[in-house]
Amino acid sequence: MQEDYEWSEQDLIVALQNSDARAYNVIFKQYWKTLYHQAYTKLQSHEIAEEIVQDLFLTLWEKRSTLLISNLQHYLKASLRNKCIDHIRARMVKDKYWTYYKTFIPRQTNNTQEMVTYNNLVEALESGMARLPEKTKAIFSLSRFEGRSVADVAKDLQLSEKAVEYHLTKSLKVLKVYLKDFVFLFLLFLL
């Protein structure tokens, strides 16, 4: 094929699947700018948009022989949309953990008494958690440490909401015994 050959979409797909670098270059030149602008519109970052589009084209080349593409433009747009969604989800998870870290991880302090109190609270909580049956411990962890609703926990563990509430009540009764010296801190923790 000559350099000035006018590629049909089907010719591009077949040539790409047969590892024709010229077809890949034509696809890259034809679609890169449009895909970049779509990614930038969704993500509002030049660097991330470039990275996602480059990753899309890298994946296209690496998986060229196994891809089943009938409409190239639709395939590229759907792939871009999925990569943008994956990026947004990953960023949300990272933001969630960063927020948790800033909120719940104790800040460095020179106050020895605060650190001792915090360590004692953690030890008491761990002692109480060790006394809980496995299912009750799992339900308590999902509810209180991961912030999941009773309905979510019930659905995930295939239990009734009443059963989840029972286990939470049971765990709180056990933990109150171990945390009696930390009642005020414990109430803040549960809210």
Side-chain angles (χ1 to χ4, degrees), residues 8-9 12-13 23-38 53 56-57 60 71-77 80:
S8 71
E9 184 173 288
L12 284 173
I13 294 169
Y24 176 78
N25 287 332
V26 169
I27 294 169
F28 184 87
K29 288 176 184 175
Q30 187 173 342
Y31 290 101
W32 189 91
K33 188 181 262 188
T34 302
L35 293 171
Y36 166 79
H37 286 297
Q38 289 173 356
V53 174
L56 183 148
F57 278 105
L60 179 68
N71 182 321
L72 185 60
Q73 183 175 1
H74 177 73
Y75 171 81
L76 292 171
K77 285 184 178 185
L80 178 70

Side-chain angles (χ1 to χ4, degrees), residues 112-136:
T112 305
Q113 183 57 41
E114 286 181 20
M115 287 305 293
V116 169
T117 302
Y118 174 77
N119 289 335
N120 289 341
L121 173 63
V122 170
E123 284 179 27
L125 181 60
E126 288 174 351
S127 295
M129 291 290 288
R131 300 280 188 223
L132 296 175
E134 287 303 314
K135 184 179 276 188
T136 304

Side-chain angles (χ1 to χ4, degrees), residues 3-57:
E3 285 298 316
D4 60 349
Y5 174 76
E6 192 66 34
W7 298 81
S8 71
E9 184 173 288
Q10 199 56 40
D11 289 342
L12 284 173
I13 294 169
V14 170
L16 176 69
Q17 290 171 335
N18 290 323
S19 301
D20 188 329
R22 293 173 301 162
Y24 176 78
N25 287 332
V26 169
I27 294 169
F28 184 87
K29 288 176 184 175
Q30 187 173 342
Y31 290 101
W32 189 91
K33 188 181 262 188
T34 302
L35 293 171
Y36 166 79
H37 286 297
Q38 289 173 356
Y40 178 76
T41 300
K42 292 177 193 318
L43 303 171
Q44 297 298 306
S45 167
H46 293 292
E47 295 81 17
I48 295 170
E50 283 181 356
E51 184 178 320
I52 285 178
V53 174
Q54 287 172 354
D55 185 51
L56 183 148
F57 278 105

Side-chain angles (χ1 to χ4, degrees), residues 87-184:
H87 173 78
I88 291 168
R89 280 187 185 140
R91 188 173 62 204
M92 288 172 62
V93 168
K94 180 180 174 187
D95 290 347
K96 180 180 175 182
Y97 282 112
W98 178 243
T99 300
Y100 174 83
Y101 176 79
K102 289 190 308 186
T103 304
F104 293 106
I105 302 300
R107 289 166 179 77
Q108 291 294 334
T109 178
N110 293 328
N111 189 336
T112 305
Q113 183 57 41
E114 286 181 20
M115 287 305 293
V116 169
T117 302
Y118 174 77
N119 289 335
N120 289 341
L121 173 63
V122 170
E123 284 179 27
L125 181 60
E126 288 174 351
S127 295
M129 291 290 288
R131 300 280 188 223
L132 296 175
E134 287 303 314
K135 184 179 276 188
T136 304
K137 188 187 309 182
I139 290 170
F140 183 82
S141 294
L142 288 170
S143 174
R144 296 305 193 253
F145 296 139
E146 294 184 21
R148 309 271 298 278
S149 70
V150 170
D152 286 344
V153 173
K155 183 179 176 187
D156 286 351
L157 298 179
Q158 298 179 347
L159 297 170
S160 69
E161 289 185 24
K162 289 278 187 202
V164 170
E165 289 170 358
Y166 165 79
H167 284 283
L168 288 173
T169 302
K170 182 177 175 181
S171 61
L172 290 173
K173 284 181 183 177
V174 170
L175 291 174
K176 280 181 188 177
V177 171
Y178 287 90
L179 299 173
K180 65 181 180 276
D181 296 331
F182 306 95
V183 172
F184 180 71

